[in-house]
Amino acid sequence: MKKLIFLLILLFPFKVSALSASSSIVMDLDNGRILHANNVYDERLIASITKIMTAIVTIEYADLDKSVEVGEEILDAYGSAIYIELGEKLTLRDLLYGLMLRSGNDAAVVIAKNVAGSMEAFAMLMNEVADRIGMDNTYFYNAHGLEEDDGSANTSTAYDMALLTKYAMENETFREIFGAKNYTVKTNYKTYSWTSKNKLIHNHEFITGGKTGFTEKARRTLVTTGSNNNINLVVVTLNDPNDFQDHLDLYEQIFREYEAVKVIDKDTFEVSQDNVYKDDTLYVLEDIYVPVTKEEKGNLRIEYELYKNNKYVDGDKVGSVRIYLGDELVREESIYVLVEEKEEKLSWWERFLRWIKW
């Protein structure tokens, strides 16, 4: 897979202005296609962008509306904080907003304790998710991203962090938290009003989310997402002293050079089929767009596959639509069936009996 990605980049190079990042990537959120790559597989310290994994693990494994009490685990927290106190009560959802908007390391340790019982157990969950979604060059030691006293530290790559963000953005709750600009919560102690540290989300309408990170060893790390004219992207930079500007430059260049072509219109969707589904309606859930350059436009093609299923019910997945750019599969979506109500055929005698309400 890695060899294929690098081959595509060599064949279809995308020129960007000079970047300050040691590693950087732009990935299409809809299909995982890489539109810009710079040292994407180099393993580096990732600092607080770790908290993207912390958030999605919490969302998947815990009840976010559960109220938790801050315990003695808070005494182990240091660095950036939301300044919660021993004995204070919040929900896990509140803590996630503090984690993502203000990068609260104190929120991270409380989350880890209440979701998994300990930081070590929570890190195991993080690594299980990383393995499951294909983050092959990533390892997590903790939920906050700080380097440990023994020298151990969370490491990943620009590619893996883009892959993680693509996965997390498929979750509606994550999208809401990741894209929040502000959040206010009242606890049994006080009222908090948090504003996102990601200044891009406050100043640019196309930015849909983001997470900042910094330690002395990792330096500045940043993950953002952005959307414009049906192009949905994630940008990751590692060790980048000029990260906010570099992200803007990458978005602007991609949006300028690529156009989202609508290859499937959900309202007019049709597919040639045999007699299996002839009495019913096949549909897709949404319009399907593929970002391409002018040179790539003519290389798009569509293939359909319908399953031989004679026992389907309304809403079943009954096939797939695949979009290729040349020989590369760039998008695959499910085809569903809408079972039409069939008019009951009655004999004249049955109609007569119903008429007289027999």
Side-chain angles (χ1 to χ4, degrees):
M1 181 62 181
K2 294 178 183 178
K3 290 181 179 178
L4 175 60
I5 290 171
F6 280 121
L7 177 59
L8 290 170
I9 293 168
L10 288 173
L11 291 175
F12 305 103
F14 179 71
K15 296 181 180 180
V16 298
S17 57
L19 299 177
S20 304
S22 295
S23 297
S24 58
I25 190 170
V26 180
M27 179 181 286
D28 187 323
L29 279 173
D30 294 320
N31 57 40
R33 185 183 179 207
I34 296 176
L35 305 181
H36 159 80
N38 169 43
N39 299 327
V40 295
Y41 297 113
D42 288 1
E43 294 183 26
R44 300 184 185 278
L45 300 174
I46 55 174
S48 282
I49 59 174
T50 287
K51 290 163 182 160
I52 295 172
M53 178 63 86
T54 304
I56 194 62
V57 166
T58 304
I59 291 167
E60 292 184 347
Y61 285 88
D63 176 5
L64 299 191
D65 296 316
K66 173 187 175 183
S67 179
V68 300
E69 183 173 324
V70 178
E72 292 188 356
E73 68 276 1
I74 198 69
L75 303 177
D76 295 328
Y78 61 97
S80 59
I82 55 174
Y83 305 105
I84 48 180
E85 302 176 31
L86 190 66
E88 194 164 6
K89 294 180 180 179
L90 308 87
T91 66
L92 287 172
R93 188 184 304 274
D94 296 332
L95 288 168
L96 283 181
Y97 277 96
L99 178 88
M100 299 301 284
L101 272 66
R102 300 305 300 167
S103 204
N105 296 330
D106 45 359
V109 298
V110 175
I111 287 170
K113 175 66 183 303
N114 283 277
V115 172
S118 68
M119 183 63 76
E120 293 74 19
F122 191 86
M124 288 181 63
L125 293 178
M126 298 171 77
N127 288 312
E128 286 176 8
V129 173
D131 289 341
R132 170 160 53 86
I133 67 177
M135 298 175 70
D136 296 333
N137 297 297
T138 297
Y139 195 83
F140 295 102
Y141 287 93
N142 59 53
H144 44 68
L146 296 173
E147 295 86 17
E148 304 284 0
D149 292 337
D150 63 4
S152 57
N154 298 345
T155 55
S156 187
T157 67
Y159 175 80
D160 280 4
M161 291 306 299
L163 193 67
L164 169 62
T165 307
K166 178 182 180 299
Y167 171 78
M169 287 291 285
E170 294 170 3
N171 183 287
E172 182 179 357
T173 300
F174 179 87
R175 290 197 303 271
E176 290 176 0
I177 297 172
F178 197 59
K181 298 178 181 180
N182 305 285
Y183 188 75
T184 300
V185 58
K186 184 177 181 180
T187 74
N188 58 324
Y189 282 5
K190 50 194 167 184
T191 297
Y192 296 92
S193 183
W194 298 316
T195 298
S196 174
K197 287 186 175 183
N198 172 23
K199 70 179 184 180
L200 295 182
I201 203 168
H202 299 288
N203 300 322
H204 302 277
E205 289 186 359
F206 66 85
I207 297 295
T208 58
K211 181 70 194 77
T212 59
F214 175 82
T215 67
E216 288 292 338
K217 292 182 178 179
R219 309 309 294 171
R220 294 179 66 90
T221 61
L222 181 63
V223 177
T224 63
T225 54
S227 297
N228 185 56
N229 292 330
N230 297 300
I231 298 177
N232 305 303
L233 306 174
V234 54
V235 178
V236 180
T237 51
L238 304 179
N239 185 24
D240 186 355
N242 195 32
D243 51 6
F244 286 127
Q245 187 60 52
D246 284 343
H247 278 234
L248 285 179
D249 289 345
L250 286 166
Y251 281 116
E252 288 173 0
Q253 292 187 54
I254 295 290
F255 291 151
R256 183 173 62 250
E257 298 292 334
Y258 283 79
E259 174 190 350
V261 174
K262 183 190 283 190
V263 292
I264 298 290
D265 187 322
K266 67 180 179 62
D267 295 327
T268 59
F269 178 74
E270 290 184 1
V271 54
S272 299
Q273 53 174 296
D274 54 26
N275 293 327
V276 177
Y277 310 104
K278 64 182 178 62
D279 296 324
D280 300 305
T281 301
L282 301 179
Y283 66 94
V284 292
L285 295 178
E286 60 184 8
D287 296 335
I288 300 176
Y289 293 85
V290 176
V292 291
T293 63
K294 291 180 181 179
E295 294 76 18
E296 293 171 335
K297 265 188 178 182
N299 293 325
L300 287 169
R301 61 186 175 87
I302 305 171
E303 292 184 1
Y304 302 95
E305 179 187 8
L306 294 177
Y307 311 143
K308 302 298 182 182
N309 178 9
N310 293 310
K311 296 182 179 180
Y312 61 88
V313 297
D314 190 55
D316 272 359
K317 175 183 174 181
V318 296
S320 297
V321 54
R322 301 184 182 96
I323 296 94
Y324 291 86
L325 182 59
D327 294 327
E328 179 191 4
L329 177 65
V330 294
R331 188 82 183 263
E332 181 173 3
E333 296 294 337
S334 298
I335 299 173
Y336 300 90
V337 63
L338 173 66
V339 177
E340 304 288 353
E341 290 188 13
K342 310 261 189 322
E343 183 178 349
E344 190 176 7
K345 294 183 179 179
L346 301 174
S347 67
W348 71 268
W349 180 247
E350 289 171 323
R351 292 197 300 272
F352 174 72
L353 291 177
R354 288 195 178 186
W355 180 72
I356 64 174
K357 298 183 180 179
W358 186 264

